[in-house]
Amino acid sequence: MTLRLFNTLTGQFDPLEPADGIALRMYACGPTVYDYGHIGNFRTFLQIDVLRRFLLLSGMQIRHVMNITDVDDKIIRNSIEAGIPIGEYTAGYVKAFFEDMEALGIERPEQIVRATEHIPQMVKLVEKLAASGAAYRTDDGSWYFRLKAFPEYGKLSKKDLSGMEDGARVDVDEYEKDSARDFALWKAPKPGETSWDTAIGRGRPGWHIECSTMAMEYLGESLDLHAGGEDLMFPHHENEIAQSETATQKTFARHWMHVRFLLVDGRKMSKSEGNFYTPRDLLLKGYKASAIRLALIAVPYRRQFNFTFDSLTDATNAIDRLRTFHSRLSSGRFATGENSAMQEAAKKAQEDFMAALNDDLNTADALAPVFDLVRAGNTAIDQGQFFTGDRDAILQVLEDFDAVFDVIKDRDAEVTKRALKWATETGRMAEVAVELVAAQTLTDEAIEALVVERSAAKKARDFARADRIRNELQEKGVVIEDSKDSVRWKRK
Ligand code: AMP
Ligand code: ZN
């Protein structure tokens, strides 16, 4: 069975297969590193991770490239505000992005590439477009793509662009449909902006040319799959298609996958709306990394997901059930043999799991048979109808499940510990202390961090705050004992 994945370009569920019969060449738009990523961003990266892991589980080879947009309008704006070079500005967010990926169990693509390291290739692509008349230079030294050069413009987003003004231009990276116009390939620098000296003049690349260039550099002129969040469909991906196909006269990507948005209270979670949470925010509220991962992947990628804290609680409970069952199997003692009903149930769960994911990555339908199996397994064990052969068969199902979902293996304490360390180092503990105490489970790591925070408050002579932390801990049954040269704590 092959995966049938919805293809935005054809509007159909097309089989996803490598054109060369060997390895699937996929490109996914990565983060713009102007800030910490929020869980909306990570919903997209996690769903792409589900795709990646499922293809690998299905035995497919893949070459997955992800870019890091480390130069764009927002980065330039923020680095100027901060008064530091863009490389210095983005470094911390690149590091944070990798940490968050690891925290959420997102596998590293085969290749991660950075825009600022591919400027010469971008310049070449602009030159190629200019040579064919599809790119033109304006008086200020910027270069634009001439939309008229690409009559198929709009074929991905299916927007009706007939009212488009010929020759009108737009120079910002992100814009709405109404301004579908000739877009900037290369921007002449404004005073104070980062720029490169190149054969097409001094300036910096537009966002769209970055992705076209890096995708073709590493995966060739025709990709099997291109993926990103739904907001990228227009103008970003539409522009990538226009630039690439005009330059090569080949189909840029045969298959396009777009992950629908994570919403909060019915609105898109975004930095500009100010209604966002980062994975770190949630870890510091006491939620486990595995629960964040499961909540963000349990709703299939083509459905909008309205984020709630209840969804994290549900995910936490679901993971507890899986882990408890898994350890019951691993540590339990069973008589040798098999229960044919159990064997049948394991086989069916495995088939239904794979079938659901093959059906446009339906993660919700893939979870259901696994939980049915947990229920059946627990019942059989309780009734003494469970044998070693059943254990082995079910552990195999759980292993395949975890190859994609990756929530049974428990790395939660380690991830939370790192988040607490980060909060302490960056002076954020003050903000999160109260919430941490209020969290459902006050872990040892959280207590340690709070004790350190209390000592810091005392040292700063903020005794009110120090007392508040101690009292809050006490209410949760944790007693702090001060001695002359140490502070210890214990649970009552
Ligand atoms: P950015 O860092 O803004 O370039 O975004 C990184 C990825 O996150 C892109 O694929 C976006 O489409 C995606 N994205 C942004 N906001 C959301 C959201 N609320 N829900 C899901 N994906 C999003
Ligand atoms: Zn991109």
Side-chain angles (χ1 to χ4, degrees), residues 20 51 119 180 244 253 380 469:
D20 67 4
L51 169 70
I119 304 291
S244 311
I469 293 174

Side-chain angles (χ1 to χ4, degrees), residues 387-435:
F387 306 94
T388 48
D390 305 328
R391 177 195 60 202
D392 297 344
I394 294 183
L395 282 177
Q396 184 57 51
V397 177
L398 294 183
E399 193 174 307
D400 286 357
F401 164 80
D402 227 32
V404 179
F405 280 74
D406 197 22
V407 293
I408 298 180
K409 214 177 319 112
D410 189 352
R411 293 181 302 265
D412 289 328
E414 200 187 302
V415 173
T416 299
K417 205 165 157 181
R418 260 183 277 142
L420 287 163
K421 186 161 172 275
W422 170 79
T424 305
E425 283 167 3
T426 56
R428 280 175 173 83
M429 274 310 281
E431 276 167 53
V432 300
V434 178
E435 278 183 303

Side-chain angles (χ1 to χ4, degrees), residues 444-457:
D444 289 358
E445 290 80 15
I447 297 171
E448 294 283 356
L450 289 166
V451 169
V452 170
E453 182 60 20
R454 170 176 167 271
S455 301

Side-chain angles (χ1 to χ4, degrees), residues 253-364:
R254 298 187 296 128
H255 212 124
W256 288 82
M257 171 192 185
H258 289 103
V259 179
R260 297 209 66 186
F261 272 152
L262 179 76
L263 309 179
V264 193
D265 301 326
R267 289 184 314 162
K268 172 190 173 188
M269 177 175 284
S270 75
K271 286 274 150 59
S272 49
E273 296 258 0
N275 60 350
F276 64 91
Y277 298 103
T278 65
R280 287 156 203 254
D281 293 335
L282 300 180
L283 290 170
L284 294 172
K285 281 181 193 295
Y287 294 100
K288 291 176 178 173
S290 58
I292 304 171
R293 177 176 170 94
L294 183 60
L296 291 174
I297 62 183
V299 175
Y301 82 97
R302 270 194 337 119
R303 266 188 240 158
Q304 285 182 334
F305 171 35
N306 204 356
F307 174 77
T308 59
F309 285 98
D310 282 348
S311 68
L312 291 178
T313 308
D314 291 347
T316 307
N317 295 336
I319 293 168
D320 281 349
R321 264 173 64 208
L322 289 168
R323 288 181 181 168
T324 307
F325 180 61
H326 189 270
S327 63
R328 197 173 183 196
L329 293 192
S330 321
S331 59
R333 295 176 138 260
F334 306 103
T336 39
E338 284 180 5
N339 168 347
S340 62
M342 221 49 258
Q343 292 291 320
E344 199 46 49
K347 185 161 166 277
K348 183 165 183 331
Q350 170 79 24
E351 284 167 5
D352 291 352
F353 172 75
M354 294 300 282
L357 291 175
N358 272 317
D359 179 13
D360 199 26
L361 293 180
N362 193 326
T363 46

